[in-house]
Amino acid sequence: MSLSPEARKILAGITTATITTVLLKKGLRNVWMRGARPLRPGLPRLVGPAFTLRFVPAREDLATPESWSSPISTRTAIEAMPEGCIAVVDAMGITDAGIFGDILCARMMKRGVTALVTDGVVRDVEGTLGTNLPVWCDGYAAPPSVAGLTFVGWGEPIGCGGVAVFPNDIVVADQDGCVLIPQAMLDHVLNEGVEQERMEAWIVNEVNNGAVLPGLYPMNAETKARYAASKK
């Protein structure tokens, strides 16, 4: 699935907090990936289709340095990442083995990957930051991935931070974390998210002008009428 430049631009103006609210109203409560926080403060909001990767627990005969040369390896997976994607990695919440380091992140930058998102951690943190690849993760650790994980594949459904992520679902990442938009819900979020942002900006302005919250947030009938009139 390709994400149009227009859709990217619209989503870049909608916070992850707003997206969770919009999806909650449609019954989707579990879309925020636990443990995926910005590695560097001040990252811009980023948007892209998910390119999924999956680790399982380390098994001594498989999780070896030699496995890095295997056809099924993180190295090979990176070469399959399309430009503009967000790499979403299921590391099972393991925080004592870094899934990627500076060299792999540097290659992802060269391939035009938008960001790395994981419920695990990275390593070589200074070098990783130096690649300028935007990363959302649960911290950093010195040991390599094979110290605690076995890489098993890419391009399949995964769980990241307790959220089911399917290839090409849409990921939006900002300072509040990473949120998943199912493909089937994209148009709804594009439409409702813009309106939600507009409405909340109006409410903030009302608060700044001294309005009290009861009847304003959430809106009662009178406030809804005033808001509707403000859009004319």
Side-chain angles (χ1 to χ4, degrees):
M1 175 185 177
S2 61
L3 189 62
S4 71
E6 180 183 5
R8 283 180 182 268
K9 182 178 180 181
I10 292 172
L11 289 174
I14 303 175
T15 68
T16 55
T18 290
I19 293 170
T20 61
T21 299
V22 169
L23 292 175
L24 178 65
K25 292 177 179 178
K26 297 295 287 186
L28 279 73
R29 297 177 178 272
N30 189 33
V31 295
W32 180 76
M33 299 178 210
R34 299 155 188 85
R37 301 182 298 274
L39 184 62
R40 185 198 305 273
L43 288 173
R45 184 172 302 114
L46 296 175
V47 180
F51 181 94
T52 59
L53 303 93
R54 185 165 69 94
F55 286 87
V56 297
R59 206 177 79 182
E60 286 74 9
D61 62 326
L62 299 175
T64 65
E66 290 74 24
S67 69
W68 295 330
S69 298
S70 166
I72 306 299
S73 68
T74 53
R75 281 72 170 160
T76 308
I78 287 171
E79 299 306 318
M81 293 179 181
E83 183 177 357
C85 76
I86 290 183
V88 184
V89 185
D90 176 4
M92 307 183 349
I94 298 296
T95 58
D96 56 2
I99 58 163
F100 288 165
D102 54 353
I103 295 174
L104 273 62
C105 289
R107 181 57 183 159
M108 292 168 69
M109 277 293 290
K110 285 292 186 181
R111 289 196 56 79
V113 173
T114 295
L116 166 64
V117 170
T118 182
D119 56 2
V121 300
V122 296
R123 63 195 300 243
D124 305 315
V125 65
E126 290 186 11
T128 295
L129 289 169
T131 69
N132 291 319
L133 178 72
V135 175
W136 277 257
C137 64
D138 201 13
Y140 37 85
S145 60
V146 293
L149 294 161
T150 302
F151 183 70
V152 293
W154 63 91
E156 59 184 342
I158 63 169
C160 183
V163 176
V165 183
F166 285 72
N168 294 318
D169 281 340
I170 307 305
V171 176
V172 181
D174 63 16
Q175 293 299 302
D176 281 352
C178 303
V179 170
L180 177 127
I181 304 173
Q183 295 180 46
M185 300 298 295
L186 177 59
D187 288 342
H188 176 74
V189 172
L190 290 173
N191 293 327
E192 295 300 318
V194 171
E195 171 57 21
Q196 184 78 20
E197 291 283 0
R198 181 187 298 118
M199 180 184 69
E200 292 192 2
W202 184 85
I203 290 173
V204 168
N205 185 64
E206 291 291 297
V207 170
N208 289 337
N209 288 332
V212 298
L213 292 178
L216 175 66
Y217 187 63
M219 294 181 180
N220 59 20
E222 178 185 353
T223 303
K224 287 180 180 178
R226 287 199 299 112
Y227 173 63
S230 75
K231 296 192 292 182
K232 295 180 180 178

